[in-house]
Amino acid sequence: MQSRFGRLASACALLASFLMAAPAQAQEAKATATKHDHSHAHSHDHSNDAEQQIYKGYFEDSQIQPRLLTDWQGEWQSVYPYLQDGTLDPVMAHKAEHGSKSAEEYKAYYEAGYRADVDRIVIGADSVTFQTETRAFEGQYAADGFEILTYEKGNRGVRFIFKKTAGDDKAPAFIQFSDHRIAPSKSDHYHLYWGDDRKEILKELTNWPTYYPAALSGDEIVHEMMAH
């Protein structure tokens, strides 16, 4: 009988020891996880900070890398109609809340910037098709380097340039992409400049037709713009 009580007492002591240790182990595991999560988030913050700096136009020449037309491959739509019909008004109001202009002044600024008669652009591995309300024309293009532009604020931009090698006469001799990226990566939107004189196109700073994926709705484009 005494032996049975002894065994029972030992079992109770062992259970109590386990119950006391479990919270401490859980707390230690929680602290380790918290430390890992913080480190992980901190790493992402650094990555995002670097990307944001590039997006704003602050980078080293050594960071720039050549890009292929496939970075912009897909079907794209002009945002100009959305500015005209008022869909982008919330974006202008948002800019006014954080900027130095009124919503009306921002809308006038983007009216000049977004203006375009090319409503759709379809980009393949080496071809670009431009679509207006009345016609479409296509050209085949090859990479022709890039140019770095310095703006009044001191930040910079990179134009990735492609030269027509064949195609319709109407297709421009040169197209220049600017999408706030400076190395190979898939673009989520871009500003496009085009014409027949490579140097003259580089001088264009007030009109920058802007294109987002054709699959996006107007409201989705508003969300994308305000996320930046």
Side-chain angles (χ1 to χ4, degrees):
M1 189 77 170
Q2 181 67 28
S3 175
R4 201 163 73 189
F5 280 132
R7 288 199 301 271
L8 181 59
S10 296
C12 289
L14 182 62
L15 178 59
S17 174
F18 174 77
L19 292 174
M20 291 177 66
Q25 290 172 345
Q27 186 66 29
E28 182 180 354
K30 182 179 179 182
T32 302
T34 303
K35 181 178 180 181
H36 172 76
D37 291 345
H38 175 74
S39 174
H40 187 64
H42 190 60
S43 172
H44 276 295
D45 287 344
H46 275 304
S47 174
N48 289 338
D49 286 347
E51 291 174 4
Q52 281 298 314
Q53 285 299 103
I54 291 173
Y55 185 88
K56 293 176 181 177
Y58 298 98
F59 50 83
E60 301 295 331
D61 290 359
S62 59
Q63 294 177 273
I64 306 171
Q65 299 177 30
R67 298 173 69 183
L68 299 176
L69 195 60
T70 48
D71 276 3
W72 298 275
Q73 192 165 357
E75 185 173 351
W76 306 86
Q77 60 178 320
S78 169
V79 300
Y80 185 50
Y82 293 123
L83 182 75
Q84 291 181 301
D85 68 13
T87 300
L88 299 187
D89 284 355
V91 179
M92 302 301 118
H94 178 72
K95 288 182 178 294
E97 290 174 3
H98 300 87
S100 58
K101 299 182 179 70
S102 67
E104 292 74 19
E105 288 171 328
Y106 274 113
K107 188 166 185 175
Y109 172 74
Y110 283 95
E111 166 69 30
Y114 287 160
R115 187 180 300 119
D117 60 356
V118 174
D119 302 318
R120 295 257 169 165
I121 295 179
V122 180
I123 300 176
D126 63 358
S127 65
V128 179
T129 302
F130 303 84
Q131 298 179 2
T132 69
E133 286 187 2
T134 58
R135 63 177 298 183
F137 45 93
E138 180 182 343
Q140 283 73 53
Y141 291 87
D144 193 43
F146 59 81
E147 297 288 344
I148 305 170
L149 303 182
T150 301
Y151 306 125
E152 289 183 4
K153 291 193 303 183
N155 61 328
R156 302 188 299 164
V158 180
R159 300 260 188 105
F160 290 92
I161 304 173
F162 293 82
K163 181 179 181 179
K164 185 171 74 171
T165 58
D168 299 330
D169 291 340
K170 179 71 173 174
F174 293 93
I175 55 176
Q176 302 181 356
F177 291 90
S178 175
D179 62 358
H180 312 284
R181 300 166 187 259
I182 61 173
S185 60
K186 294 295 290 184
S187 187
D188 55 4
H189 77 280
Y190 59 85
H191 311 294
L192 189 66
Y193 308 79
W194 61 82
D196 294 328
D197 188 317
R198 191 182 193 276
K199 290 183 178 179
E200 284 300 313
I201 304 169
L202 289 170
K203 296 178 183 178
E204 178 55 75
L205 299 174
T206 57
N207 176 229
W208 13 268
T210 301
Y211 295 86
Y212 274 74
L216 294 181
S217 68
D219 288 341
E220 287 172 328
I221 291 175
V222 167
H223 177 76
E224 290 288 318
M225 288 182 171
M226 292 177 69
H228 290 295

